[in-house]
Amino acid sequence: MTPKSTPWDDIGTPGADYNVRLIANSKQIPLYWGRDSEGHCLFIVELKGDHSAQFTRSRASVRGIRVDLRSLGSTETQGLVLKLEQHVDKDLFLGLCNTLSASLREVPDSAGALSVTLTHLGRWRTFLASRRLRLLSREEIYGLFAELQFLRLLYEEHLSEEATLDAWCGPDGAHQDFIFGNTAVEIKALSGKERSMVRISSEDQLEALCDKLFLRVFRLNAISESDHALSLNEAVRQVAGELSAASALEKFFTQLAAYGYVELREYDEPRLVVTGQRTYRVTEEFPRIVRSQLPDGLTRVGYAIELESIAEFECETAEVWRDA
């Protein structure tokens, strides 16, 4: 397989200092690809003025990426230099740089550019610490998108922002995606092309310690031309823009990192629309395979449930909140 090309491929290694190339689509804030004398890949944000105090106050250390602020040949110009060290994947670094480039495109001033960059680095630090260094699969993208829809419903109508983020257990590896009070909710996503069937990934997913367990199914269609369509990146930004509590926002990005998400251009597609939602009450009669009923020696059981077969268990969404 041909290796993926990167912007650093045609930048030579200098004998000293840096070789750089201006990123063509940078507008207000000049941005550069570069290499240093040791061949490290660089991303440089050019800043007007002295931003040493802001950098010292807010700097973020990121595993595998060295972050420095240095003079660019003039006391009136500084460069925020991101240097890729050997033990971090170049593709991930490229993803970070592309995301930064897009985020900085409309930023009008250097102080704002430094703030945006350091915020992104803080999120990447959490993501890299999670050690899930890979792109999310299509199924994971749809699943996270659906969980974000339910998350919004929780904090908009039923719980505080902090309580909502505490209730979101999916990224932590819990058996159900949301647990609050004596209620657990498992979220599933179906694409428009799939049959009316949900996949259950383990014998624990539809067995809860709570008295009430619900299965919530979102049907998602990829309709880029719709005014209501959102990419995963846009859905994340929507939630982040609605959370007003700083503690909830920090928890939100920590949970996303645990899920394996950080903003990458690869998540600008598909753009999804919720075209249907159904809620099912999981009772003793609900068709399922659970750990407490498995013969000895059987484990890691996955199976599928046809939605037509559980029509009698469908309920109003209000049932989820009743006596919660």
Side-chain angles (χ1 to χ4, degrees):
M1 184 171 64
T2 303
K4 181 179 178 180
S5 62
T6 73
W8 300 285
D9 293 345
D10 58 355
I11 298 177
T13 299
D17 205 25
Y18 302 156
N19 274 346
V20 300
R21 186 179 72 248
L22 181 67
I23 298 176
N25 62 356
S26 57
K27 295 182 179 179
Q28 309 287 343
I29 306 298
L31 307 173
Y32 303 87
W33 305 113
R35 280 193 186 274
D36 65 10
S37 58
E38 297 178 338
H40 292 108
C41 298
L42 308 175
F43 180 83
I44 303 173
V45 182
E46 183 179 312
L47 306 171
K48 299 298 183 183
D50 184 355
H51 301 272
S52 303
Q54 181 184 358
F55 176 73
T56 301
R57 183 174 60 251
S58 306
R59 69 182 302 170
S61 59
V62 181
R63 179 169 59 88
I65 301 172
R66 183 171 177 176
V67 184
D68 289 315
L69 185 69
R70 59 170 292 176
S71 172
L72 294 181
S74 165
T75 57
E76 298 180 355
T77 306
Q78 293 179 320
L80 183 68
V81 182
L82 279 58
K83 179 172 75 173
L84 176 67
E85 298 178 332
Q86 290 184 348
H87 59 280
V88 172
D89 191 288
K90 184 188 292 186
D91 288 343
L92 283 172
F93 185 59
L94 177 60
L96 166 61
C97 296
N98 282 333
T99 300
L100 276 173
S101 179
S103 298
L104 294 171
R105 195 169 299 153
E106 303 299 332
V107 176
D109 60 86
S110 294
L114 180 57
S115 178
V116 167
T117 302
L118 294 177
T119 297
H120 274 279
L121 288 173
R123 294 171 187 170
W124 272 78
R125 175 178 55 195
T126 305
F127 168 66
L128 292 171
S130 73
R131 299 185 183 277
R132 292 192 58 179
L133 307 183
R134 61 173 179 81
L135 288 174
L136 297 176
S137 67
R138 176 185 175 278
E139 181 180 354
E140 288 170 326
I141 290 171
Y142 276 61
L144 178 54
F145 188 96
E147 289 180 36
L148 294 178
Q149 307 314 302
F150 191 76
L151 189 81
R152 294 185 68 225
L153 177 63
L154 274 182
Y155 66 69
E156 285 180 346
E157 298 185 16
H158 303 286
L159 299 177
S160 69
E161 293 177 1
E162 291 85 351
T164 295
L165 272 298
D166 287 340
W168 189 24
C169 303
D172 299 326
H175 297 322
Q176 287 82 43
D177 296 311
F178 291 88
I179 300 175
F180 48 92
N182 205 22
T183 300
V185 182
E186 176 62 24
I187 305 296
K188 292 296 180 184
L190 293 177
S191 75
K193 296 180 180 179
E194 290 175 324
R195 297 172 57 190
S196 294
M197 178 184 299
V198 293
R199 298 191 179 278
I200 308 301
S201 60
S202 79
E203 63 273 24
D204 297 310
Q205 209 162 46
L206 292 185
E207 186 173 44
L209 298 176
C210 302
D211 287 344
K212 296 167 61 180
L213 173 60
F214 296 89
L215 175 65
R216 174 87 163 178
V217 180
F218 289 84
R219 183 172 292 279
L220 306 177
N221 280 14
I223 311 175
S224 296
E225 61 273 16
S226 171
D227 292 338
H228 301 291
L230 295 174
S231 68
L232 180 56
N233 284 335
E234 290 169 328
V236 168
R237 289 196 291 267
Q238 180 183 54
V239 173
E242 292 172 347
L243 293 174
S244 58
S247 57
L249 188 61
E250 181 179 356
K251 174 79 169 178
F252 177 57
F253 283 111
T254 299
Q255 291 288 73
L256 288 172
Y259 199 103
Y261 169 88
V262 71
E263 185 175 340
L264 292 169
R265 295 179 70 181
E266 284 82 354
Y267 303 139
D268 286 338
E269 295 290 341
R271 301 187 73 244
L272 302 172
V273 176
V274 177
T275 56
Q277 304 176 48
R278 291 184 176 181
T279 303
Y280 302 88
R281 180 77 181 261
V282 180
T283 66
E284 290 298 325
E285 294 75 29
F286 192 94
R288 55 184 175 154
I289 299 173
V290 296
R291 181 181 295 275
S292 60
Q293 298 174 4
L294 284 179
D296 291 342
L298 289 186
T299 187
R300 298 183 181 178
V301 176
Y303 58 100
I305 299 176
E306 292 182 344
L307 295 184
E308 288 183 1
S309 71
I310 57 173
E312 64 182 286
F313 299 96
E314 187 172 358
C315 63
E316 296 295 328
T317 305
E319 284 290 315
V320 177
W321 326 117
R322 189 165 297 164
D323 303 321

